């Protein structure tokens, strides 16, 4: 399944290319907006303008890297009935879909590689304050992203349709991941909610570790591991019930 996901990413190169164009434009616009917002202020919410621009550049690159398509694939296979072939394989269904997503991510990163210098040029980058901590929190955040995507996808075994909830999930996760506005700027209740939800580990935490906003990664890493363990248990429980509701449609 990893190979299939990898090949699918390369097969739809035009989608990746347009996504890359969108990514470059988004980073450029964010740089223009936040530069104007900062004006002559040296810092805001504990972030200098250079640190903020580096954060936004990384956060948006990470959003591309952790973007998941597995929910679309599962939705399509449930509706067409081809999920039957997935269930007939000796490897567990969730493991198959996770492997597919990893392969698709690797294919997307391969196509993204030539665009990274352009993104860094229109955005900004600084030397990492904690490179190892950044890589660890980013890797764990990716695992959480895949788990959440799988969990949303399993709803399709009850509803047969997950387009609306997938769109809602994407909007909520991107907002609370802090790809447009760092969580340090979130006021009151929004800040508390963002701190409780797992979405910050998809964007904010790794990028904040990179620029030095978060200096001690012990707490975030332990929290990510705890989320991964909790989501693993929830996925296993949900799948144990979802598999009993399989209804094959199509010819």
């Amino acid at each position: 399944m990893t190979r299939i996901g990898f090949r699918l990413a390369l097969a739809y190169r035009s989608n990746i290319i347009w996504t890359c164009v969108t990514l470059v434009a988004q980073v450029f616009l964010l740089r223009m907006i936040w530069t104007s917002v900062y004006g002559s202020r040296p810092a805001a919410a504990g972030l200098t303008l250079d640190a903020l621009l580096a954060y936004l550049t990384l956060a948006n690159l990470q959003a591309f890297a952790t973007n998941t398509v597995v929910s679309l694939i599962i939705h399509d296979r449930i509706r067409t009935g081809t999920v039957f072939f997935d269930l007939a394989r000796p490897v567990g269904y969730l493991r198959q879909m996770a492997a597919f997503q990893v392969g698709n991510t690797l294919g997307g990163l391969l196509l993204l590689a030539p665009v990274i210098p352009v993104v860094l040029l229109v955005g900004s980058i600084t030397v990492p304050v904690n490179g190892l901590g950044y890589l660890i929190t980013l890797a764990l955040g990716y695992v959480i992203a895949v788990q959440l995507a799988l969990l949303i996808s399993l709803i399709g075994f009850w509803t047969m349709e997950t387009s609306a909830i997938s769109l809602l999930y994407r909007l909520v996760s991107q907002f609370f991941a802090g790809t447009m506005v760092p969580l340090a700027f979130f006021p009151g209740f929004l800040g508390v909610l963002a701190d409780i939800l797992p979405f910050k580990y998809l964007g904010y935490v790794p990028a904040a570790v990179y620029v030095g906003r978060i200096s001690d990664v012990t707490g975030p890493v332990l929290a990510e591991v705890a989320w991964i363990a909790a989501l693993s248990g929830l996925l296993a429980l949900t799948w144990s019930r979802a598999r009993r509701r399989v209804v094959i449609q199509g010819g």
Side-chain angles (χ1 to χ4, degrees):
M1 292 300 289
T2 303
R3 186 180 303 173
I4 293 173
F6 184 84
R7 289 178 175 175
L8 183 66
L10 298 183
Y12 292 93
R13 291 187 295 272
S14 59
N15 289 341
I16 301 294
I17 292 172
W18 279 112
T19 301
C20 291
V21 172
T22 303
L23 175 62
V24 171
Q26 184 167 293
V27 170
F28 175 76
L29 291 175
L30 285 172
R31 175 173 184 162
M32 294 297 101
I33 292 171
W34 279 101
T35 299
S36 176
V37 168
Y38 262 63
S40 59
R41 284 181 293 182
L47 289 170
T48 65
L49 179 60
D50 288 341
L52 175 71
L53 294 178
Y55 164 89
L56 291 171
T57 302
L58 278 173
N60 282 272
L61 280 171
Q62 290 166 189
F64 179 94
T66 58
N67 180 51
T68 53
V69 300
V70 68
S71 57
L72 298 176
I73 300 300
I74 293 177
H75 170 259
D76 180 68
R77 296 182 76 80
I78 290 175
R79 289 188 61 83
T80 59
T82 50
V83 67
F84 168 78
F85 300 106
D86 300 325
L87 298 176
R89 296 190 180 101
V91 181
Y93 181 69
L94 294 179
R95 289 178 60 188
Q96 290 181 54
M97 294 300 102
F100 171 89
Q101 181 57 60
V102 170
N104 190 264
T105 298
L106 292 174
L109 289 175
L110 181 64
L111 295 175
L112 175 66
V115 185
I116 291 178
V118 181
V119 174
L120 298 181
L121 180 64
V122 300
S124 180
I125 197 64
T126 58
V127 177
V129 175
N130 186 348
L132 179 60
Y134 168 72
L135 293 175
I136 293 173
T137 53
L138 179 61
L140 293 175
Y142 176 73
V143 175
I144 293 173
V146 174
Q147 288 180 314
L148 289 172
L150 288 173
L151 194 59
I152 293 296
S153 303
L154 292 183
I155 296 174
F157 284 90
W158 281 272
T159 64
M160 301 294 294
E161 177 60 54
T162 59
S163 299
I165 194 170
S166 293
L167 177 60
L168 177 62
Y169 166 74
R170 183 176 181 180
L171 292 174
V172 171
S173 63
Q174 286 185 347
F175 178 75
F176 285 106
T179 55
M180 301 294 179
V181 180
L183 302 193
F185 289 88
F186 279 31
F189 174 73
L190 274 180
V192 174
L193 186 59
D195 194 51
I196 295 173
L197 296 173
F199 306 122
K200 65 179 181 179
Y201 300 108
L202 280 56
Y204 174 75
V205 168
V209 169
Y210 185 98
V211 300
R213 171 71 182 179
I214 297 177
S215 56
D216 185 4
V217 300
T218 304
V221 167
L222 290 176
E224 285 180 305
V225 172
W227 270 110
I228 290 172
L231 289 171
S232 296
L234 185 57
L235 273 171
L237 177 62
T238 306
W239 173 238
S240 68
R241 299 186 178 184
R243 65 188 305 171
R244 304 171 191 167
R245 301 184 57 87
V246 176
V247 176
I248 306 300
Q249 292 186 347

